[in-house]
mmCIF file of all heavy atoms in Angstrom:
data_model
loop_
_atom_site.group_PDB
_atom_site.id
_atom_site.type_symbol
_atom_site.label_atom_id
_atom_site.label_comp_id
_atom_site.label_asym_id
_atom_site.label_seq_id
_atom_site.Cartn_x
_atom_site.Cartn_y
_atom_site.Cartn_z
ATOM 1 N N TYR A 116 4.348 29.951 -5.575
ATOM 2 C CA TYR A 116 3.245 29.577 -6.482
ATOM 3 C C TYR A 116 2.318 30.788 -6.592
ATOM 4 O O TYR A 116 1.811 31.273 -5.580
ATOM 5 C CB TYR A 116 2.501 28.380 -5.886
ATOM 6 C CG TYR A 116 1.139 28.080 -6.474
ATOM 7 C CD1 TYR A 116 0.971 27.897 -7.845
ATOM 8 C CD2 TYR A 116 0.013 27.962 -5.653
ATOM 9 C CE1 TYR A 116 -0.283 27.610 -8.376
ATOM 10 C CE2 TYR A 116 -1.237 27.669 -6.169
ATOM 11 C CZ TYR A 116 -1.377 27.497 -7.538
ATOM 12 O OH TYR A 116 -2.622 27.214 -8.050
ATOM 13 N N TYR A 177 -9.757 19.361 -4.405
ATOM 14 C CA TYR A 177 -9.428 20.246 -5.530
ATOM 15 C C TYR A 177 -8.110 19.859 -6.196
ATOM 16 O O TYR A 177 -7.164 19.439 -5.547
ATOM 17 C CB TYR A 177 -9.407 21.711 -5.096
ATOM 18 C CG TYR A 177 -8.535 22.030 -3.915
ATOM 19 C CD1 TYR A 177 -7.236 22.508 -4.070
ATOM 20 C CD2 TYR A 177 -9.027 21.875 -2.623
ATOM 21 C CE1 TYR A 177 -6.449 22.823 -2.973
ATOM 22 C CE2 TYR A 177 -8.233 22.185 -1.520
ATOM 23 C CZ TYR A 177 -6.952 22.654 -1.701
ATOM 24 O OH TYR A 177 -6.172 22.954 -0.618
ATOM 25 N N HIS A 180 -3.896 22.746 -8.463
ATOM 26 C CA HIS A 180 -2.530 23.183 -8.179
ATOM 27 C C HIS A 180 -1.537 22.385 -9.020
ATOM 28 O O HIS A 180 -1.713 21.183 -9.208
ATOM 29 C CB HIS A 180 -2.200 22.991 -6.700
ATOM 30 C CG HIS A 180 -2.943 23.919 -5.775
ATOM 31 N ND1 HIS A 180 -4.208 24.375 -6.043
ATOM 32 C CD2 HIS A 180 -2.587 24.477 -4.586
ATOM 33 C CE1 HIS A 180 -4.597 25.179 -5.050
ATOM 34 N NE2 HIS A 180 -3.639 25.259 -4.150
ATOM 35 N N ASP A 186 -0.485 20.519 -0.562
ATOM 36 C CA ASP A 186 -1.617 21.321 -1.056
ATOM 37 C C ASP A 186 -1.587 21.340 -2.584
ATOM 38 O O ASP A 186 -0.861 22.110 -3.163
ATOM 39 C CB ASP A 186 -1.527 22.744 -0.506
ATOM 40 C CG ASP A 186 -2.660 23.610 -1.017
ATOM 41 O OD1 ASP A 186 -3.730 23.056 -1.317
ATOM 42 O OD2 ASP A 186 -2.469 24.822 -1.144
ATOM 43 N N GLU A 217 -10.454 24.412 -7.480
ATOM 44 C CA GLU A 217 -10.962 25.096 -6.293
ATOM 45 C C GLU A 217 -11.784 26.330 -6.694
ATOM 46 O O GLU A 217 -11.546 26.935 -7.740
ATOM 47 C CB GLU A 217 -9.771 25.509 -5.415
ATOM 48 C CG GLU A 217 -10.106 25.666 -3.952
ATOM 49 C CD GLU A 217 -8.848 25.881 -3.096
ATOM 50 O OE1 GLU A 217 -7.788 26.204 -3.671
ATOM 51 O OE2 GLU A 217 -8.931 25.742 -1.872
ATOM 52 N N TYR A 314 4.003 26.025 2.460
ATOM 53 C CA TYR A 314 2.734 26.241 1.761
ATOM 54 C C TYR A 314 2.898 27.152 0.536
ATOM 55 O O TYR A 314 3.500 28.218 0.626
ATOM 56 C CB TYR A 314 1.744 26.859 2.755
ATOM 57 C CG TYR A 314 0.448 27.350 2.167
ATOM 58 C CD1 TYR A 314 -0.513 26.458 1.718
ATOM 59 C CD2 TYR A 314 0.187 28.716 2.076
ATOM 60 C CE1 TYR A 314 -1.703 26.913 1.190
ATOM 61 C CE2 TYR A 314 -1.012 29.181 1.554
ATOM 62 C CZ TYR A 314 -1.950 28.278 1.106
ATOM 63 O OH TYR A 314 -3.129 28.741 0.584
ATOM 64 N N HIS A 315 2.360 26.713 -0.604
ATOM 65 C CA HIS A 315 2.392 27.486 -1.860
ATOM 66 C C HIS A 315 3.804 27.894 -2.277
ATOM 67 O O HIS A 315 4.010 28.995 -2.793
ATOM 68 C CB HIS A 315 1.467 28.716 -1.783
ATOM 69 C CG HIS A 315 0.022 28.366 -2.029
ATOM 70 N ND1 HIS A 315 -0.956 29.302 -2.265
ATOM 71 C CD2 HIS A 315 -0.608 27.167 -2.077
ATOM 72 C CE1 HIS A 315 -2.130 28.692 -2.455
ATOM 73 N NE2 HIS A 315 -1.933 27.399 -2.336
HETATM 74 ZN ZN1 ZN B 1 -3.616 26.191 -2.301
#
Side-chain angles (χ1 to χ4, degrees):
Y116 165 54
Y177 53 96
H180 291 32
D186 179 28
E217 205 172 16
Y314 171 72
H315 280 193

